[in-house]
Amino acid sequence: VKRPLSSKSDSSGVSNSGESSKESSRCSTPVLDADRTDRLRDKMKRRIESGDHWFSLEFFPPRTASGAVNLISRFDRMGSGGPLFIDVTWHPSGDPGSDKETSSMMIASTAVNYCGLESVLHLTCCNQTKEKITAHLNKAKRLGLKNIMALRGDPIGEDWVEEDGGFNYATDLVKHIRCEFDDYFDICVAGYPTGHPEAESYDNDLRHLKEKVDAGAHFIVTQLFFRAETFLRFVKDCRAIGITCPILPGIFPIQGYHSLRQLVKLSKLEVPEEIMQVIEPIKDNDAAIRSYGIQQAVEMCKVLLASGEVPGLHFYTLNREVATIEVLRQLGLWAEDPRRPLPWAVSAHPKRKVEDVRPIFWASRPKSYIYRTQDWDDFPNGRWGNSSSPAFGELTDYYLFYLKSKSPKEALLQMWGEELMNEGSVYEVFTNYITGQTNPSGHKVMCLPWNDDALAPETNLLKDELEKVNRRGILTINSQPNINGKPSSDPIVGWGPAGGYVFQKAYLEFFTSSENVTALLQVLKKYEPRVNYHIVNVQGKNITNAHEMQPNAVTWGIFPGREIIQPTVVDPVSFMYWKDEAFALWIEQWVKLYEDESPSRMIIQYIHDNYFLVNLVDNDFPLDSCLWQVIEDMFALLDSPRATQEEGSQS
Amino acid sequence: VKRPLSSKSDSSGVSNSGESSKESSRCSTPVLDADRTDRLRDKMKRRIESGDHWFSLEFFPPRTASGAVNLISRFDRMGSGGPLFIDVTWHPSGDPGSDKETSSMMIASTAVNYCGLESVLHLTCCNQTKEKITAHLNKAKRLGLKNIMALRGDPIGEDWVEEDGGFNYATDLVKHIRCEFDDYFDICVAGYPTGHPEAESYDNDLRHLKEKVDAGAHFIVTQLFFRAETFLRFVKDCRAIGITCPILPGIFPIQGYHSLRQLVKLSKLEVPEEIMQVIEPIKDNDAAIRSYGIQQAVEMCKVLLASGEVPGLHFYTLNREVATIEVLRQLGLWAEDPRRPLPWAVSAHPKRKVEDVRPIFWASRPKSYIYRTQDWDDFPNGRWGNSSSPAFGELTDYYLFYLKSKSPKEALLQMWGEELMNEGSVYEVFTNYITGQTNPSGHKVMCLPWNDDALAPETNLLKDELEKVNRRGILTINSQPNINGKPSSDPIVGWGPAGGYVFQKAYLEFFTSSENVTALLQVLKKYEPRVNYHIVNVQGKNITNAHEMQPNAVTWGIFPGREIIQPTVVDPVSFMYWKDEAFALWIEQWVKLYEDESPSRMIIQYIHDNYFLVNLVDNDFPLDSCLWQVIEDMFALLDSPRATQEEGSQS
């Protein structure tokens, strides 16, 4: 009987018995998630092969800094739905390649670096020198951008004349990118299902598209259209002349009468009669038009996806989220429960692709962590510890706009108190943040200096205990429950590949008074070696029972066919850097809300100057966390006059 | 109130807030077990400080190669009792510095490298040139030895004359070691509680000892003696003249009348009257003398330990184990349940001190693994994978005496069968090894080519299942049960520091026929991705569903205040090296027992040529292992005629 065995390892480089043992026997790098290492073209290829439809989202750069802060929040929210990529348009009049927070370049860079989104930066070449274009591309590469949408762009001025040696067509730009950067960038080009408005003819336009693809483009995104058959005929025509790359339909959910009119005017598209007939009668009813737009887009997308010609949908969001998300939800493409590759927000910068362990301290401030480690040349991989790595970035220069609070000063005052009476007022702010209750002035506390967002779902698991201790001046800024082997698909604490199990040690981090710390230290003696602690004040006075160099892994996962992943650690060294940031946030975000010499200001300043930052790890992860008992014991000790006397006599 | 807080991190190099961020923020190396990194002098210091008494064991090199094999087994057995160190005497007439398997040098090297024992090599300097001594020391260092017992040695020939510029006293040797090797070696010297037999006087001898210590010795081991007060007076006298280092009493449990007489003659010691009075009447009753010797040693040791002057006991074992172990047991010093730093047998070679992960394949053959990786310059630390590491040593040159079976050919034939009838005879041998039952010729199968020892206690947990499958031709050579978080102190599966939890994925490795493999592959489809497998034959035909480079961690531990430790992996690359070794063992140990052309030989050769080596990992460690079900399903498929036909039609 012939054995029906096929050898899967023919391509693995494993030598047969005869030729063994001369080369290295150990693998060079651990295996990474394909999603973090693959190029966009490869991701598309995989999704096409598996028949797994995707979507992508187009945004334009904002006009103001606060618009930028909003857009970045939107990236986070819409990123959670699982787009394959987002793209950011190039606004030649908005200084698009500059370092301004509103530039196309910086918005796309933020999406990649801080929001972890695969991003495509548009680039137009019209009226640009080759040097300028090359400089833009070099900068994009340096910032971690890997994909370019190559466009001609609208000529500035009325009469456009071809320049010799300049960029006259997107094809020239595609060729230039390939020539100067070889295979580095994935390139997207634009397709026009009804022909480019300036093209001589539809066929002529198709030939131009073929030239762009032949010059080295990897995929096509089309101009918007209103009928599925428009797109499907276009794809058929593209295939007929030999265009084989992915062609993504540009979807525009109608969101309002006026925006539709304006878009039509700009793009020189005709809105089909059947759509105008519905819209005209309801043109003053925004809600009705939006609702129709969603329904129309859903119907069209269904036809497109069912055709088998459409691997993914590209949405022109106009920087709005409601309509697009609703369409995606109805299509079943919105990932309600996005799988997290790691328990923290990863960056999509290519040099961070091996990063798989971080200190827990920045859990609520991942963008700050990414910013402060952006100059690191190598990232920890597998374990925290590499003496060749550079230091954390300085605190002084990182208060960039997108690391500041999203909320304006007035909102912060409403949340954190126009006027504080005493330290107890601060305890109340923390407590209200945990409970979600409104404060006496009727406002909900939606954020704290250390937590720019609402409570994480995981933290919600600890809500009751957190409320209790915050009320008494244990001002918690970070915590996680212990987890003893939940499936990696768990909607709250899961992360990583399917079929695995995730674990956590209970963690609690808080500010508290020096009186509390004195009692806490007494209590902690009973919990050796179960509980590890670091206790530090703003001057850097540091009390710990942990090893001075050894990190404590507090989150880890076990997956099929893999080494252990331990993505979060408590480590003594980076805690001292975090401590600077954590104390500085009292000043930067809170003290500065109040006038000099005001009692409110002096209260926060007092806390900053006198409180300790404490972190506690319960190493016994299979048992119920003992950290709440530690705090209770501390209060019990403080409440017992005899114990306090004893303590006093020791000091 | 002043805070009674002391800063523990003053010495940690962590900068205070003002001076932060310029240096590297990440630690350079993970923290290692002090027991694997400390020098002997530091281990002693720690044990003295904690009041934790230790013992050490002295051996002499064997005369024959088979004696060496026995002595190495004894190292393993006595090593499990937890000696702080062992020492190996220097036999000038036995070519002690050579590469012979019986040399002092090679025996001590084996103890360090293969048995993981802290070892002291004796070295005598009498009648030796400085060059020769330096060469010995260089060789010892190269082999991983870190401790030397510096002795003068007995002059060869009757009349000994001091040589100018030569080594006349042990002091010269101590000075030479310090001069040539600085602080590299820990140095032990000999003390004589009743004075050296050749010394002018007891006081003169004490002064010589002081000179040796002042020259750089770290501790003293004494000549044997028969009364506790002899030793205690000696210690008092040493302290009086300023000898402050540890002084370890040499304990000699009397084991027989003649050996005592001989020893007394050699050492020129007098046996006290009270002992002779007991022994003389029973001099022909070995058992009675041994029993008295044990009792006498225990009583004396109790007095010594109770005196507070004795941090540890040094035993002259005469290469026997029963009496010494019994004395240690009665004293409560024998570690019945030794803590394992890692789940596999560590080597004590200094360059392997960072080694903390190995492939599971060599689990029963750790000495072979150590041998085959002895030329590696760096060892995996934290994760398996480092492209700069060298390859595994060649198979061809590693069949050293101490990697061969401990059993002689006749014993192997009795265990594995003088004459095999068919493949079923081989299944029976494997089954008898698992069950511990005698074979038809009345012999127990105590070892297999892949397992030179009896079943591990852990494997015993799987005994029933293993018996069942071996009976049907699943010839298991390695296995471990799944473990979902047992305490690190668990007597069977525990390892690592106290207070931790250990985990395992179920693992099964076996040889089986290609017919079985065909059915197995069918069955395994149902178990994707829960079960990872590698299936390979002697030609290297390799079938796997695992990633070609990614190791699968199958043993790991979570400990207080530490990163995760994952000491055992299944990795596809090293499996191909192991496969060569695993198949070769059929030939080297089994085929060669039989005559050319004999049916027995042809049966084993057929298995070697046609069977596959299979390993299976069940990734779902929290659930009951499914690997037995996989095997059962395979047999069910084979037993169903229809299924076999289906299979046939696919090939």
Side-chain angles (χ1 to χ4, degrees):
Chain A
V1 190
K2 252 192 170 173
R3 262 178 277 102
L5 310 181
S6 71
S7 170
K8 230 185 153 180
S9 80
D10 285 343
S11 62
S12 74
V14 173
S15 56
N16 282 355
S17 112
E19 342 147 12
S20 66
S21 25
K22 271 300 167 219
E23 315 108 68
S24 167
S25 58
R26 302 198 243 152
C27 68
S28 52
T29 45
V31 175
L32 301 160
D33 286 319
D35 269 342
R36 289 179 75 191
T37 55
D38 274 2
R39 298 205 268 198
L40 182 50
R41 70 189 85 154
D42 298 321
K43 293 182 187 175
M44 289 187 180
K45 193 160 166 267
R46 265 196 293 130
R47 297 281 285 257
I48 290 169
E49 281 166 3
S50 67
D52 192 7
H53 294 139
W54 72 77
F55 68 93
S56 47
L57 304 169
E58 183 162 315
F59 300 92
F60 54 80
R63 270 182 243 162
T64 63
S66 72
V69 171
N70 287 336
L71 182 57
I72 293 161
S73 305
R74 180 162 296 128
F75 284 169
D76 285 340
R77 286 191 301 273
M78 298 193 78
S80 73
L84 188 66
F85 64 91
I86 66 128
D87 58 327
V88 177
T89 60
W90 187 257
H91 276 207
S93 56
D95 204 356
S98 75
D99 287 343
K100 284 201 291 193
E101 57 248 36
T102 54
S103 76
S104 301
M105 186 73 82
M106 295 317 285
I107 292 294
S109 158
T110 300
V112 167
N113 286 289
Y114 298 104
C115 306
L117 296 168
E118 179 81 62
S119 305
V120 178
L121 176 65
H122 290 221
L123 188 58
T124 61
C125 59
C126 189
N127 292 325
Q128 299 263 2
T129 63
K130 286 201 170 174
E131 291 66 34
K132 191 77 192 157
I133 291 287
T134 302
H136 287 325
L137 290 165
N138 271 321
K139 183 169 185 175
K141 184 176 173 184
R142 207 170 54 242
L143 291 170
L145 292 160
K146 294 167 295 180
N147 314 295
I148 298 291
M149 173 103 157
L151 300 164
R152 191 193 70 181
D154 297 319
I156 295 170
E158 292 273 305
D159 297 300
W160 175 66
V161 188
E162 285 197 21
E163 279 180 65
D164 279 355
F167 294 107
N168 296 308
Y169 299 101
T171 310
D172 301 331
L173 179 54
V174 175
K175 282 180 184 160
H176 179 75
I177 296 172
R178 292 302 229 139
C179 172
E180 296 283 315
F181 294 86
D182 194 22
D183 204 26
Y184 179 80
F185 288 105
D186 277 31
I187 301 172
C188 171
V189 291
Y192 299 87
T194 52
H196 191 278
E198 290 170 27
E200 289 167 33
S201 70
Y202 176 80
D203 287 346
N204 199 25
D205 195 51
L206 271 186
R207 274 191 300 276
H208 277 305
L209 182 57
K210 176 85 161 53
E211 278 167 31
K212 289 196 276 190
V213 174
D214 290 347
H218 297 95
F219 65 100
I220 295 164
V221 163
T222 78
Q223 179 56 287
L224 62 92
F225 53 90
F226 296 100
R227 289 181 181 140
E229 59 265 31
T230 310
F231 177 82
L232 294 173
R233 193 202 48 190
F234 172 71
V235 171
K236 203 175 149 205
D237 294 339
C238 286
R239 301 305 183 216
I241 63 164
I243 295 172
T244 58
C245 69
I247 304 172
L248 311 181
I251 309 298
F252 174 74
I254 297 165
Q255 304 195 42
Y257 184 74
H258 293 288
S259 65
L260 177 65
R261 287 276 298 238
Q262 206 187 348
L263 191 94
V264 164
K265 193 176 141 205
L266 277 171
S267 61
K268 295 172 187 157
L269 289 174
E270 259 178 57
V271 182
E273 195 52 35
E274 71 270 21
I275 291 181
M276 288 317 290
Q277 277 175 1
V278 179
I279 283 185
E280 281 292 349
I282 55 170
K283 67 180 177 183
D284 297 322
N285 184 341
D286 284 353
I289 289 192
R290 236 189 345 260
S291 157
Y292 167 74
I294 289 167
Q295 176 215 324
Q296 189 267 340
V298 168
E299 294 311 320
M300 189 174 76
C301 289
K302 279 183 179 167
V303 176
L304 291 172
L305 294 173
S307 73
E309 301 291 338
V310 175
L313 303 167
H314 186 74
F315 283 82
Y316 293 103
T317 67
L318 301 188
N319 288 14
R320 299 188 200 154
E321 53 197 293
V322 177
T324 300
I325 292 176
E326 185 52 34
V327 172
L328 286 166
R329 280 221 168 96
Q330 293 195 25
L331 293 170
L333 290 179
W334 187 257
E336 292 297 341
D337 171 27
R339 293 200 60 81
R340 301 184 293 169
L342 286 165
W344 31 259
V346 300
S347 167
H349 194 293
K351 78 175 181 179
R352 297 187 87 110
K353 67 188 176 196
V354 300
E355 180 183 22
D356 68 5
V357 49
R358 284 187 192 169
I360 195 172
F361 316 120
W362 283 267
S364 303
R365 296 178 59 75
K367 292 184 176 66
S368 168
Y369 181 79
I370 292 166
Y371 184 81
R372 295 193 69 181
T373 59
Q374 66 182 340
D375 292 327
W376 287 9
D377 289 324
D378 57 311
F379 288 88
N381 173 224
R383 64 193 315 159
W384 180 258
N386 185 333
S387 57
S388 63
S389 296
F392 282 84
E394 297 284 349
L395 251 182
T396 47
D397 61 2
Y398 87 94
Y399 283 104
L400 289 190
F401 77 103
Y402 48 78
L403 299 180
K404 286 213 161 145
S405 175
K406 282 184 301 227
S407 311
K409 184 176 171 180
E410 307 74 54
L412 295 179
L413 279 168
Q414 286 169 348
M415 290 193 275
W416 300 345
E418 305 274 355
E419 213 183 318
L420 304 174
M421 308 303 293
N422 48 37
E423 292 166 64
S425 315
V426 176
Y427 302 178
E428 231 175 274
V429 173
F430 276 79
T431 309
N432 287 331
Y433 173 72
I434 298 291
T435 60
Q437 282 159 1
T438 54
N439 60 22
S441 68
H443 295 93
K444 285 199 180 189
V445 181
M446 305 300 288
C447 62
L448 288 176
W450 307 269
N451 303 278
D452 212 20
D453 290 304
L455 229 42
E458 183 187 27
T459 316
N460 257 312
L461 300 175
L462 308 172
K463 212 165 165 172
D464 293 347
E465 288 90 347
L466 288 170
E467 179 188 346
K468 218 160 84 181
V469 301
N470 275 281
R471 239 177 241 299
R472 299 191 68 180
I474 298 290
L475 306 178
T476 60
I477 61 170
N478 194 358
S479 59
Q480 70 175 21
N482 59 315
I483 301 291
N484 186 15
K486 287 219 176 174
S488 59
S489 58
D490 184 275
I492 294 179
V493 297
W495 53 272
Y501 294 90
V502 299
F503 293 80
Q504 292 179 177
K505 292 180 180 175
Y507 179 77
L508 192 61
E509 183 180 336
F510 53 87
F511 289 101
T512 204
S513 69
S514 65
E515 290 71 26
N516 285 352
V517 164
T518 304
L520 184 62
L521 281 169
Q522 275 294 104
V523 163
L524 282 168
K525 286 178 195 160
K526 281 194 315 186
Y527 290 89
E528 298 261 7
R530 178 167 175 178
V531 175
N532 278 119
Y533 57 86
H534 294 89
I535 301 178
V536 67
N537 67 4
V538 72
Q539 285 85 32
K541 182 179 179 62
N542 183 21
I543 313 151
T544 180
N545 69 342
H547 190 282
E548 63 190 39
M549 293 299 271
Q550 172 74 53
N552 191 349
V554 293
T555 301
W556 64 99
I558 317 295
F559 301 96
R562 279 183 165 249
E563 290 189 279
I564 314 298
I565 306 178
Q566 46 171 1
T568 321
V569 295
V570 168
D571 84 295
V573 181
S574 79
F575 183 60
M576 295 306 280
Y577 289 90
W578 163 249
K579 174 269 292 181
D580 291 344
E581 184 168 334
F583 276 102
L585 285 162
W586 284 109
I587 306 295
E588 291 297 321
Q589 290 207 19
W590 206 332
V591 161
K592 290 185 175 171
L593 294 179
Y594 306 110
E595 277 173 33
D596 279 0
E597 312 282 327
S598 67
S600 297
R601 185 172 194 138
M602 284 163 68
I603 289 162
I604 303 296
Q605 185 72 49
Y606 176 85
I607 290 177
H608 168 270
D609 294 347
N610 293 282
Y611 274 38
F612 278 73
L613 179 62
V614 178
N615 75 49
L616 304 176
V617 176
D618 178 3
N619 288 300
D620 245 335
F621 63 94
L623 311 180
D624 284 345
S625 165
C626 69
L627 300 183
W628 308 114
Q629 191 59 50
V630 169
I631 305 289
E632 244 177 64
D633 289 359
M634 180 198 84
F635 283 122
L637 181 62
L638 286 166
D639 291 345
S640 131
R642 206 161 60 90
T644 320
Q645 271 169 14
E646 268 178 24
E647 180 52 33
S649 70
Q650 283 178 16
S651 60
Chain B
V1 190
K2 253 190 170 174
R3 261 176 278 102
L5 311 179
S6 70
S7 168
K8 229 183 155 180
S9 80
D10 286 343
S11 61
S12 76
V14 172
S15 55
N16 283 355
S17 112
E19 342 148 11
S20 66
S21 24
K22 272 297 165 221
E23 314 108 68
S24 168
S25 59
R26 303 198 241 152
C27 68
S28 52
T29 46
V31 175
L32 301 160
D33 286 319
D35 269 343
R36 289 180 75 190
T37 55
D38 274 3
R39 297 203 269 196
L40 182 50
R41 70 190 83 154
D42 298 320
K43 291 183 189 176
M44 287 187 181
K45 192 158 165 268
R46 266 196 293 129
R47 297 281 287 255
I48 289 169
E49 282 166 4
S50 68
D52 192 8
H53 294 139
W54 73 78
F55 68 93
S56 49
L57 303 170
E58 184 162 315
F59 299 93
F60 55 80
R63 269 182 242 163
T64 63
S66 73
V69 170
N70 285 336
L71 182 57
I72 292 161
S73 306
R74 181 161 295 127
F75 284 169
D76 286 339
R77 287 192 300 273
M78 297 192 80
S80 73
L84 187 67
F85 65 90
I86 65 129
D87 59 325
V88 177
T89 60
W90 188 258
H91 276 207
S93 58
D95 203 356
S98 74
D99 287 343
K100 284 202 291 191
E101 57 248 34
T102 54
S103 77
S104 300
M105 185 73 82
M106 295 316 285
I107 291 295
S109 158
T110 301
V112 167
N113 286 288
Y114 298 103
C115 305
L117 296 169
E118 180 82 61
S119 304
V120 178
L121 175 64
H122 290 221
L123 189 58
T124 60
C125 58
C126 188
N127 292 325
Q128 298 263 3
T129 63
K130 285 199 169 174
E131 290 67 34
K132 191 77 191 157
I133 290 289
T134 302
H136 286 326
L137 290 164
N138 271 320
K139 184 170 184 173
K141 185 178 173 183
R142 206 170 54 243
L143 291 170
L145 292 161
K146 295 167 294 180
N147 314 296
I148 297 291
M149 172 103 157
L151 300 164
R152 191 191 72 180
D154 297 318
I156 296 169
E158 291 274 305
D159 299 300
W160 174 67
V161 187
E162 285 196 21
E163 278 181 65
D164 279 353
F167 294 107
N168 296 309
Y169 298 100
T171 309
D172 301 332
L173 178 53
V174 174
K175 283 181 184 159
H176 179 75
I177 296 172
R178 292 300 229 140
C179 172
E180 296 283 315
F181 293 86
D182 193 22
D183 203 29
Y184 179 80
F185 288 105
D186 278 30
I187 301 172
C188 172
V189 291
Y192 298 88
T194 53
H196 191 279
E198 290 170 25
E200 288 166 32
S201 70
Y202 176 78
D203 287 346
N204 198 27
D205 195 51
L206 270 186
R207 274 194 298 277
H208 276 306
L209 181 58
K210 176 84 162 51
E211 277 169 30
K212 288 196 278 192
V213 173
D214 290 346
H218 297 94
F219 65 101
I220 296 164
V221 163
T222 77
Q223 178 57 288
L224 63 93
F225 53 88
F226 295 101
R227 288 180 181 141
E229 58 265 32
T230 310
F231 178 82
L232 294 174
R233 193 202 48 190
F234 172 70
V235 170
K236 203 176 149 204
D237 295 339
C238 286
R239 299 306 182 214
I241 62 163
I243 295 172
T244 57
C245 69
I247 305 172
L248 311 180
I251 309 297
F252 174 75
I254 297 166
Q255 304 195 43
Y257 184 76
H258 292 289
S259 65
L260 177 66
R261 289 277 297 239
Q262 206 186 349
L263 190 94
V264 163
K265 193 176 141 204
L266 277 171
S267 60
K268 295 171 187 158
L269 289 175
E270 259 178 58
V271 182
E273 194 53 34
E274 70 268 21
I275 292 181
M276 287 317 289
Q277 278 176 359
V278 178
I279 284 186
E280 280 292 347
I282 55 172
K283 67 179 178 184
D284 297 321
N285 184 342
D286 284 352
I289 289 190
R290 235 187 349 259
S291 159
Y292 168 73
I294 288 168
Q295 177 216 321
Q296 189 267 341
V298 168
E299 294 310 320
M300 190 172 76
C301 290
K302 279 183 178 167
V303 176
L304 291 172
L305 294 174
S307 74
E309 302 291 338
V310 175
L313 303 166
H314 186 75
F315 283 81
Y316 293 104
T317 68
L318 302 188
N319 286 15
R320 298 188 200 155
E321 54 196 293
V322 177
T324 300
I325 292 177
E326 184 53 34
V327 172
L328 286 166
R329 282 221 167 96
Q330 293 196 24
L331 292 170
L333 291 179
W334 186 257
E336 292 296 341
D337 171 27
R339 292 199 62 80
R340 300 183 294 169
L342 287 166
W344 30 260
V346 301
S347 167
H349 193 294
K351 79 176 182 180
R352 298 187 87 110
K353 69 188 175 197
V354 301
E355 180 182 23
D356 67 7
V357 49
R358 284 186 191 169
I360 196 173
F361 315 121
W362 281 268
S364 305
R365 295 176 61 75
K367 294 184 176 67
S368 168
Y369 181 78
I370 292 166
Y371 184 81
R372 294 193 68 181
T373 59
Q374 64 181 342
D375 293 327
W376 286 10
D377 289 324
D378 56 311
F379 289 88
N381 173 224
R383 63 193 315 157
W384 180 258
N386 185 334
S387 58
S388 63
S389 296
F392 282 84
E394 297 283 348
L395 250 183
T396 46
D397 63 2
Y398 87 95
Y399 283 102
L400 289 190
F401 76 102
Y402 49 78
L403 300 180
K404 286 211 161 150
S405 174
K406 283 188 296 230
S407 312
K409 183 174 172 179
E410 308 74 53
L412 295 179
L413 279 168
Q414 285 169 350
M415 290 193 275
W416 301 345
E418 305 275 355
E419 214 182 317
L420 304 174
M421 309 304 293
N422 48 39
E423 292 165 64
S425 315
V426 176
Y427 301 177
E428 231 176 274
V429 173
F430 276 80
T431 308
N432 286 332
Y433 172 72
I434 298 291
T435 59
Q437 282 160 359
T438 54
N439 61 19
S441 68
H443 295 92
K444 286 198 177 188
V445 180
M446 305 301 288
C447 63
L448 288 175
W450 307 268
N451 303 278
D452 212 19
D453 290 303
L455 272 197
E458 183 187 26
T459 315
N460 256 311
L461 301 174
L462 309 172
K463 211 165 167 173
D464 293 346
E465 287 90 346
L466 287 170
E467 178 187 348
K468 218 160 85 181
V469 302
N470 274 282
R471 238 177 243 299
R472 297 191 70 178
I474 299 289
L475 306 177
T476 60
I477 61 170
N478 194 357
S479 58
Q480 69 175 21
N482 59 314
I483 302 290
N484 186 16
K486 288 219 177 176
S488 59
S489 57
D490 184 274
I492 294 177
V493 297
W495 53 271
Y501 294 91
V502 298
F503 293 80
Q504 292 180 178
K505 293 180 179 174
Y507 178 77
L508 191 61
E509 184 180 337
F510 53 87
F511 290 99
T512 203
S513 69
S514 65
E515 291 70 26
N516 285 351
V517 164
T518 304
L520 183 63
L521 281 168
Q522 275 294 104
V523 163
L524 281 168
K525 287 179 195 160
K526 281 195 313 184
Y527 289 90
E528 298 263 4
R530 178 167 175 178
V531 175
N532 278 118
Y533 56 86
H534 293 89
I535 302 177
V536 66
N537 66 4
V538 71
Q539 285 86 32
K541 182 180 180 59
N542 183 21
I543 313 149
T544 180
N545 68 342
H547 189 282
E548 63 191 39
M549 294 299 271
Q550 173 74 53
N552 191 349
V554 293
T555 301
W556 63 99
I558 318 296
F559 301 96
R562 280 183 164 249
E563 290 190 277
I564 315 296
I565 307 178
Q566 48 171 359
T568 320
V569 296
V570 168
D571 84 295
V573 181
S574 78
F575 183 60
M576 294 307 279
Y577 290 90
W578 164 248
K579 172 270 292 182
D580 291 344
E581 183 168 333
F583 277 102
L585 285 162
W586 284 109
I587 306 294
E588 290 297 321
Q589 289 206 19
W590 205 333
V591 161
K592 290 183 174 172
L593 295 178
Y594 306 110
E595 277 174 34
D596 278 0
E597 311 283 325
S598 67
S600 296
R601 184 172 195 137
M602 284 163 70
I603 288 163
I604 303 296
Q605 185 73 48
Y606 176 84
I607 290 177
H608 169 270
D609 295 347
N610 293 282
Y611 275 37
F612 279 73
L613 180 62
V614 177
N615 75 50
L616 304 176
V617 176
D618 178 1
N619 288 299
D620 245 335
F621 62 95
L623 312 180
D624 285 344
S625 165
C626 70
L627 300 183
W628 308 114
Q629 192 60 48
V630 168
I631 304 290
E632 243 177 64
D633 289 358
M634 178 198 87
F635 283 123
L637 181 63
L638 286 166
D639 290 345
S640 128
R642 205 163 57 91
T644 319
Q645 270 168 15
E646 268 177 23
E647 179 51 33
S649 72
Q650 282 179 15
S651 63

